[in-house]
Amino acid sequence: MNIEKVLKVYDNSEKLINLIHELAPRDRKIKIMNVCGSHEHTITFSGMRSLMPETIELVPGPGCPVCVCSESDIINAIKLSQRDDTILLTYGDMLRVPTKIGSIRSEGKHYKMISAPHEVIKIAKENPDKNVVFFSIGFETTTAPTAALIEMGLPENVTILTSQKLTPEIMEILVKDSEVGVDAFVAPGHVSAIVGANAWKRFPEKYGIPTVVAGFEPENLLLAFAVILAQIKDEKPKLENVYKGVVRDEGNKKALELMYKYFEKADVNWRGIGYIPQSGLELKKEYSNINARVKFNLPEIKEEKIPGCICNKIVLGKAYPSECKLFGKVCTPRTPKGPCMVSGEGACNIWYRAGNQ
């Protein structure tokens, strides 16, 4: 009955906010985590937290792929770019991510920023005498285009350094962490467009945690919160999709088929968190000829914590950016000390730009 009531006001912000206040429990806190930088951007810049009842806490989670890319991968990328026979290609945000030896931009030598994977082929053909390494990072949304790039056929001088992460697996880690205490998830819209709404079924079915796939407009997020609270009030946790114009239950079948043609699940390192079993994607062994780790025999480099930085706690929903002693002082988007301040999807970057200090 509560869900039906919510859906009647799905596109009216004022009515949705009133409904959220009506549905919110009075006797306990509810922690709703978003796992998408774009969701956090909408929540923060719209002032949505200030509109919530006191018992509702909106928490940013690991929705920024730049923030969780391992320091080891970035340092290896820097070292590859320092070779005179090599050109490193990667996305713009990755150039500025700090490590113990600096960033690609500060310490790299031969690197270029790209905005889409197909640019790799053009640059490789223009530089046939160079090793061209594509440093491919991200969640499922960037893995699919990388797989499509391989499907197009790579020039012989191209290899790929992958740092691809899987979102459902990190969310499951959060569920099991009692310190986080997640009561509900807003599932990421972009990732869901690839993996499908059904990828999140495990959370209500296995853990009893309401999970709603949402888009990025304020009304759609408010609708997601209202649906979550209705489920909690009815004590009927389930998976709901309020972003049906973009997200299908089964996802993008062609994209998934390509991803798992070239990649397989692997134990990977999440920066500040550590190794999580089967939480990432690595190139299959039969494609070792395009694997930069294999070609250049890249080592695993021990990660070192940045003094004072609490980015690891922020991506796990255990702290807010404003709780970091570096935030807004020595750590700003212009001079980032930690990875959460670099990307426009990082919680620290979003909070700083929104003036939440």
PDB file of all heavy atoms in Angstrom, residues 160-186:
ATOM      1  N   ILE A 160      47.152  -3.262 -22.763  1.00  0.00           N
ATOM      2  CA  ILE A 160      46.220  -2.635 -21.827  1.00  0.00           C
ATOM      3  C   ILE A 160      46.626  -2.943 -20.393  1.00  0.00           C
ATOM      4  O   ILE A 160      46.855  -4.103 -20.035  1.00  0.00           O
ATOM      5  CB  ILE A 160      44.778  -3.134 -22.074  1.00  0.00           C
ATOM      6  CG1 ILE A 160      44.352  -2.849 -23.517  1.00  0.00           C
ATOM      7  CG2 ILE A 160      43.803  -2.463 -21.106  1.00  0.00           C
ATOM      8  CD1 ILE A 160      42.999  -3.422 -23.879  1.00  0.00           C
ATOM      9  N   LEU A 161      46.731  -1.896 -19.587  1.00  0.00           N
ATOM     10  CA  LEU A 161      46.921  -2.032 -18.143  1.00  0.00           C
ATOM     11  C   LEU A 161      45.551  -1.823 -17.518  1.00  0.00           C
ATOM     12  O   LEU A 161      45.015  -0.712 -17.528  1.00  0.00           O
ATOM     13  CB  LEU A 161      47.915  -0.993 -17.622  1.00  0.00           C
ATOM     14  CG  LEU A 161      48.090  -0.913 -16.091  1.00  0.00           C
ATOM     15  CD1 LEU A 161      48.558  -2.242 -15.522  1.00  0.00           C
ATOM     16  CD2 LEU A 161      49.057   0.212 -15.727  1.00  0.00           C
ATOM     17  N   THR A 162      44.956  -2.885 -17.011  1.00  0.00           N
ATOM     18  CA  THR A 162      43.585  -2.801 -16.514  1.00  0.00           C
ATOM     19  C   THR A 162      43.536  -2.604 -15.005  1.00  0.00           C
ATOM     20  O   THR A 162      44.347  -3.150 -14.260  1.00  0.00           O
ATOM     21  CB  THR A 162      42.793  -4.081 -16.857  1.00  0.00           C
ATOM     22  OG1 THR A 162      43.429  -5.210 -16.228  1.00  0.00           O
ATOM     23  CG2 THR A 162      42.735  -4.311 -18.350  1.00  0.00           C
ATOM     24  N   SER A 163      42.551  -1.812 -14.590  1.00  0.00           N
ATOM     25  CA  SER A 163      42.253  -1.652 -13.163  1.00  0.00           C
ATOM     26  C   SER A 163      40.739  -1.518 -13.042  1.00  0.00           C
ATOM     27  O   SER A 163      40.209  -0.488 -12.648  1.00  0.00           O
ATOM     28  CB  SER A 163      42.967  -0.416 -12.601  1.00  0.00           C
ATOM     29  OG  SER A 163      42.884  -0.387 -11.184  1.00  0.00           O
ATOM     30  N   GLN A 164      40.049  -2.583 -13.436  1.00  0.00           N
ATOM     31  CA  GLN A 164      38.586  -2.596 -13.524  1.00  0.00           C
ATOM     32  C   GLN A 164      37.977  -3.231 -12.270  1.00  0.00           C
ATOM     33  O   GLN A 164      38.410  -4.281 -11.824  1.00  0.00           O
ATOM     34  CB  GLN A 164      38.128  -3.379 -14.760  1.00  0.00           C
ATOM     35  CG  GLN A 164      38.832  -2.989 -16.061  1.00  0.00           C
ATOM     36  CD  GLN A 164      38.465  -1.624 -16.582  1.00  0.00           C
ATOM     37  OE1 GLN A 164      39.171  -1.035 -17.387  1.00  0.00           O
ATOM     38  NE2 GLN A 164      37.343  -1.098 -16.130  1.00  0.00           N
ATOM     39  N   LYS A 165      36.964  -2.580 -11.731  1.00  0.00           N
ATOM     40  CA  LYS A 165      36.328  -3.030 -10.499  1.00  0.00           C
ATOM     41  C   LYS A 165      34.857  -3.377 -10.737  1.00  0.00           C
ATOM     42  O   LYS A 165      34.219  -2.838 -11.636  1.00  0.00           O
ATOM     43  CB  LYS A 165      36.427  -1.934  -9.424  1.00  0.00           C
ATOM     44  CG  LYS A 165      37.833  -1.419  -9.148  1.00  0.00           C
ATOM     45  CD  LYS A 165      38.687  -2.455  -8.447  1.00  0.00           C
ATOM     46  CE  LYS A 165      39.977  -1.853  -7.890  1.00  0.00           C
ATOM     47  NZ  LYS A 165      40.936  -1.437  -8.899  1.00  0.00           N
ATOM     48  N   LEU A 166      34.335  -4.272  -9.894  1.00  0.00           N
ATOM     49  CA  LEU A 166      32.939  -4.698  -9.974  1.00  0.00           C
ATOM     50  C   LEU A 166      32.151  -4.131  -8.790  1.00  0.00           C
ATOM     51  O   LEU A 166      32.509  -4.355  -7.632  1.00  0.00           O
ATOM     52  CB  LEU A 166      32.851  -6.229  -9.979  1.00  0.00           C
ATOM     53  CG  LEU A 166      33.450  -6.909 -11.216  1.00  0.00           C
ATOM     54  CD1 LEU A 166      33.515  -8.413 -11.017  1.00  0.00           C
ATOM     55  CD2 LEU A 166      32.646  -6.568 -12.466  1.00  0.00           C
ATOM     56  N   THR A 167      31.078  -3.429  -9.085  1.00  0.00           N
ATOM     57  CA  THR A 167      30.322  -2.717  -8.051  1.00  0.00           C
ATOM     58  C   THR A 167      29.557  -3.626  -7.094  1.00  0.00           C
ATOM     59  O   THR A 167      29.590  -3.394  -5.878  1.00  0.00           O
ATOM     60  CB  THR A 167      29.348  -1.723  -8.705  1.00  0.00           C
ATOM     61  OG1 THR A 167      30.021  -1.028  -9.760  1.00  0.00           O
ATOM     62  CG2 THR A 167      28.862  -0.700  -7.693  1.00  0.00           C
ATOM     63  N   PRO A 168      28.835  -4.649  -7.558  1.00  0.00           N
ATOM     64  CA  PRO A 168      28.072  -5.468  -6.599  1.00  0.00           C
ATOM     65  C   PRO A 168      28.944  -6.090  -5.514  1.00  0.00           C
ATOM     66  O   PRO A 168      28.515  -6.227  -4.364  1.00  0.00           O
ATOM     67  CB  PRO A 168      27.441  -6.550  -7.490  1.00  0.00           C
ATOM     68  CG  PRO A 168      27.351  -5.923  -8.836  1.00  0.00           C
ATOM     69  CD  PRO A 168      28.571  -5.065  -8.948  1.00  0.00           C
ATOM     70  N   GLU A 169      30.188  -6.438  -5.875  1.00  0.00           N
ATOM     71  CA  GLU A 169      31.060  -7.105  -4.905  1.00  0.00           C
ATOM     72  C   GLU A 169      31.487  -6.174  -3.768  1.00  0.00           C
ATOM     73  O   GLU A 169      31.535  -6.581  -2.604  1.00  0.00           O
ATOM     74  CB  GLU A 169      32.283  -7.684  -5.618  1.00  0.00           C
ATOM     75  CG  GLU A 169      32.051  -9.022  -6.290  1.00  0.00           C
ATOM     76  CD  GLU A 169      30.991  -8.996  -7.389  1.00  0.00           C
ATOM     77  OE1 GLU A 169      30.840  -7.956  -8.060  1.00  0.00           O
ATOM     78  OE2 GLU A 169      30.314 -10.018  -7.589  1.00  0.00           O
ATOM     79  N   ILE A 170      31.776  -4.913  -4.086  1.00  0.00           N
ATOM     80  CA  ILE A 170      32.153  -3.989  -3.008  1.00  0.00           C
ATOM     81  C   ILE A 170      30.938  -3.674  -2.151  1.00  0.00           C
ATOM     82  O   ILE A 170      31.040  -3.497  -0.930  1.00  0.00           O
ATOM     83  CB  ILE A 170      32.802  -2.701  -3.569  1.00  0.00           C
ATOM     84  CG1 ILE A 170      33.354  -1.821  -2.427  1.00  0.00           C
ATOM     85  CG2 ILE A 170      31.828  -1.895  -4.392  1.00  0.00           C
ATOM     86  CD1 ILE A 170      34.464  -2.448  -1.631  1.00  0.00           C
ATOM     87  N   MET A 171      29.758  -3.621  -2.758  1.00  0.00           N
ATOM     88  CA  MET A 171      28.542  -3.378  -1.986  1.00  0.00           C
ATOM     89  C   MET A 171      28.292  -4.512  -0.993  1.00  0.00           C
ATOM     90  O   MET A 171      27.842  -4.280   0.132  1.00  0.00           O
ATOM     91  CB  MET A 171      27.350  -3.200  -2.924  1.00  0.00           C
ATOM     92  CG  MET A 171      27.379  -1.875  -3.693  1.00  0.00           C
ATOM     93  SD  MET A 171      26.167  -1.761  -5.022  1.00  0.00           S
ATOM     94  CE  MET A 171      24.626  -1.822  -4.106  1.00  0.00           C
ATOM     95  N   GLU A 172      28.606  -5.725  -1.403  1.00  0.00           N
ATOM     96  CA  GLU A 172      28.420  -6.856  -0.492  1.00  0.00           C
ATOM     97  C   GLU A 172      29.378  -6.783   0.690  1.00  0.00           C
ATOM     98  O   GLU A 172      29.030  -7.158   1.816  1.00  0.00           O
ATOM     99  CB  GLU A 172      28.594  -8.173  -1.249  1.00  0.00           C
ATOM    100  CG  GLU A 172      28.070  -9.369  -0.494  1.00  0.00           C
ATOM    101  CD  GLU A 172      27.665 -10.525  -1.388  1.00  0.00           C
ATOM    102  OE1 GLU A 172      28.059 -10.546  -2.566  1.00  0.00           O
ATOM    103  OE2 GLU A 172      26.949 -11.412  -0.896  1.00  0.00           O
ATOM    104  N   ILE A 173      30.586  -6.292   0.445  1.00  0.00           N
ATOM    105  CA  ILE A 173      31.537  -6.084   1.537  1.00  0.00           C
ATOM    106  C   ILE A 173      30.972  -5.083   2.534  1.00  0.00           C
ATOM    107  O   ILE A 173      31.080  -5.252   3.762  1.00  0.00           O
ATOM    108  CB  ILE A 173      32.896  -5.594   0.988  1.00  0.00           C
ATOM    109  CG1 ILE A 173      33.581  -6.690   0.169  1.00  0.00           C
ATOM    110  CG2 ILE A 173      33.802  -5.117   2.117  1.00  0.00           C
ATOM    111  CD1 ILE A 173      33.980  -7.912   0.964  1.00  0.00           C
ATOM    112  N   LEU A 174      30.351  -4.029   2.040  1.00  0.00           N
ATOM    113  CA  LEU A 174      29.778  -2.996   2.905  1.00  0.00           C
ATOM    114  C   LEU A 174      28.654  -3.553   3.761  1.00  0.00           C
ATOM    115  O   LEU A 174      28.513  -3.199   4.936  1.00  0.00           O
ATOM    116  CB  LEU A 174      29.260  -1.836   2.053  1.00  0.00           C
ATOM    117  CG  LEU A 174      30.324  -1.042   1.287  1.00  0.00           C
ATOM    118  CD1 LEU A 174      29.669  -0.091   0.299  1.00  0.00           C
ATOM    119  CD2 LEU A 174      31.220  -0.286   2.241  1.00  0.00           C
ATOM    120  N   VAL A 175      27.844  -4.412   3.172  1.00  0.00           N
ATOM    121  CA  VAL A 175      26.731  -5.019   3.904  1.00  0.00           C
ATOM    122  C   VAL A 175      27.248  -5.814   5.099  1.00  0.00           C
ATOM    123  O   VAL A 175      26.648  -5.814   6.183  1.00  0.00           O
ATOM    124  CB  VAL A 175      25.906  -5.937   2.969  1.00  0.00           C
ATOM    125  CG1 VAL A 175      24.915  -6.784   3.772  1.00  0.00           C
ATOM    126  CG2 VAL A 175      25.158  -5.108   1.934  1.00  0.00           C
ATOM    127  N   LYS A 176      28.372  -6.482   4.908  1.00  0.00           N
ATOM    128  CA  LYS A 176      28.914  -7.363   5.948  1.00  0.00           C
ATOM    129  C   LYS A 176      29.717  -6.613   7.011  1.00  0.00           C
ATOM    130  O   LYS A 176      30.117  -7.202   8.011  1.00  0.00           O
ATOM    131  CB  LYS A 176      29.797  -8.435   5.296  1.00  0.00           C
ATOM    132  CG  LYS A 176      29.024  -9.380   4.385  1.00  0.00           C
ATOM    133  CD  LYS A 176      29.950 -10.339   3.663  1.00  0.00           C
ATOM    134  CE  LYS A 176      29.190 -11.267   2.735  1.00  0.00           C
ATOM    135  NZ  LYS A 176      30.089 -12.179   1.993  1.00  0.00           N
ATOM    136  N   ASP A 177      29.958  -5.332   6.786  1.00  0.00           N
ATOM    137  CA  ASP A 177      30.749  -4.528   7.715  1.00  0.00           C
ATOM    138  C   ASP A 177      29.808  -3.840   8.711  1.00  0.00           C
ATOM    139  O   ASP A 177      29.114  -2.886   8.372  1.00  0.00           O
ATOM    140  CB  ASP A 177      31.560  -3.490   6.945  1.00  0.00           C
ATOM    141  CG  ASP A 177      32.605  -2.800   7.806  1.00  0.00           C
ATOM    142  OD1 ASP A 177      32.374  -2.655   9.027  1.00  0.00           O
ATOM    143  OD2 ASP A 177      33.647  -2.384   7.266  1.00  0.00           O
ATOM    144  N   SER A 178      29.819  -4.298   9.933  1.00  0.00           N
ATOM    145  CA  SER A 178      28.901  -3.764  10.947  1.00  0.00           C
ATOM    146  C   SER A 178      29.188  -2.305  11.269  1.00  0.00           C
ATOM    147  O   SER A 178      28.293  -1.569  11.694  1.00  0.00           O
ATOM    148  CB  SER A 178      28.990  -4.600  12.229  1.00  0.00           C
ATOM    149  OG  SER A 178      30.319  -4.594  12.742  1.00  0.00           O
ATOM    150  N   GLU A 179      30.418  -1.862  11.033  1.00  0.00           N
ATOM    151  CA  GLU A 179      30.765  -0.465  11.313  1.00  0.00           C
ATOM    152  C   GLU A 179      30.074   0.480  10.337  1.00  0.00           C
ATOM    153  O   GLU A 179      29.763   1.618  10.666  1.00  0.00           O
ATOM    154  CB  GLU A 179      32.285  -0.275  11.220  1.00  0.00           C
ATOM    155  CG  GLU A 179      32.752   1.103  11.691  1.00  0.00           C
ATOM    156  CD  GLU A 179      34.256   1.276  11.581  1.00  0.00           C
ATOM    157  OE1 GLU A 179      34.967   0.272  11.431  1.00  0.00           O
ATOM    158  OE2 GLU A 179      34.710   2.423  11.642  1.00  0.00           O
ATOM    159  N   VAL A 180      29.823  -0.007   9.116  1.00  0.00           N
ATOM    160  CA  VAL A 180      29.140   0.811   8.112  1.00  0.00           C
ATOM    161  C   VAL A 180      27.656   0.888   8.438  1.00  0.00           C
ATOM    162  O   VAL A 180      27.052   1.953   8.467  1.00  0.00           O
ATOM    163  CB  VAL A 180      29.353   0.240   6.695  1.00  0.00           C
ATOM    164  CG1 VAL A 180      28.598   1.085   5.668  1.00  0.00           C
ATOM    165  CG2 VAL A 180      30.832   0.182   6.360  1.00  0.00           C
ATOM    166  N   GLY A 181      27.039  -0.263   8.681  1.00  0.00           N
ATOM    167  CA  GLY A 181      25.634  -0.290   9.086  1.00  0.00           C
ATOM    168  C   GLY A 181      24.667   0.224   8.040  1.00  0.00           C
ATOM    169  O   GLY A 181      23.805   1.054   8.334  1.00  0.00           O
ATOM    170  N   VAL A 182      24.794  -0.266   6.799  1.00  0.00           N
ATOM    171  CA  VAL A 182      23.904   0.173   5.722  1.00  0.00           C
ATOM    172  C   VAL A 182      22.508  -0.410   5.913  1.00  0.00           C
ATOM    173  O   VAL A 182      22.341  -1.604   6.141  1.00  0.00           O
ATOM    174  CB  VAL A 182      24.455  -0.263   4.351  1.00  0.00           C
ATOM    175  CG1 VAL A 182      23.487   0.097   3.230  1.00  0.00           C
ATOM    176  CG2 VAL A 182      25.810   0.382   4.096  1.00  0.00           C
ATOM    177  N   ASP A 183      21.485   0.449   5.819  1.00  0.00           N
ATOM    178  CA  ASP A 183      20.090  -0.003   5.914  1.00  0.00           C
ATOM    179  C   ASP A 183      19.440  -0.152   4.547  1.00  0.00           C
ATOM    180  O   ASP A 183      18.465  -0.895   4.395  1.00  0.00           O
ATOM    181  CB  ASP A 183      19.268   0.995   6.749  1.00  0.00           C
ATOM    182  CG  ASP A 183      19.721   1.045   8.195  1.00  0.00           C
ATOM    183  OD1 ASP A 183      19.611   0.016   8.872  1.00  0.00           O
ATOM    184  OD2 ASP A 183      20.201   2.104   8.626  1.00  0.00           O
ATOM    185  N   ALA A 184      19.961   0.571   3.537  1.00  0.00           N
ATOM    186  CA  ALA A 184      19.378   0.521   2.200  1.00  0.00           C
ATOM    187  C   ALA A 184      20.385   1.060   1.191  1.00  0.00           C
ATOM    188  O   ALA A 184      21.266   1.850   1.534  1.00  0.00           O
ATOM    189  CB  ALA A 184      18.089   1.329   2.141  1.00  0.00           C
ATOM    190  N   PHE A 185      20.235   0.615  -0.061  1.00  0.00           N
ATOM    191  CA  PHE A 185      21.091   1.081  -1.141  1.00  0.00           C
ATOM    192  C   PHE A 185      20.277   1.788  -2.213  1.00  0.00           C
ATOM    193  O   PHE A 185      19.181   1.351  -2.576  1.00  0.00           O
ATOM    194  CB  PHE A 185      21.794  -0.099  -1.831  1.00  0.00           C
ATOM    195  CG  PHE A 185      22.976  -0.655  -1.101  1.00  0.00           C
ATOM    196  CD1 PHE A 185      23.001  -1.983  -0.706  1.00  0.00           C
ATOM    197  CD2 PHE A 185      24.088   0.144  -0.829  1.00  0.00           C
ATOM    198  CE1 PHE A 185      24.104  -2.518  -0.057  1.00  0.00           C
ATOM    199  CE2 PHE A 185      25.198  -0.380  -0.171  1.00  0.00           C
ATOM    200  CZ  PHE A 185      25.198  -1.712   0.216  1.00  0.00           C
ATOM    201  N   VAL A 186      20.856   2.868  -2.745  1.00  0.00           N
ATOM    202  CA  VAL A 186      20.416   3.402  -4.027  1.00  0.00           C
ATOM    203  C   VAL A 186      21.451   2.897  -5.026  1.00  0.00           C
ATOM    204  O   VAL A 186      22.615   3.298  -4.993  1.00  0.00           O
ATOM    205  CB  VAL A 186      20.368   4.939  -4.035  1.00  0.00           C
ATOM    206  CG1 VAL A 186      19.994   5.440  -5.436  1.00  0.00           C
ATOM    207  CG2 VAL A 186      19.364   5.445  -3.019  1.00  0.00           C
TER     208      VAL A 186
END
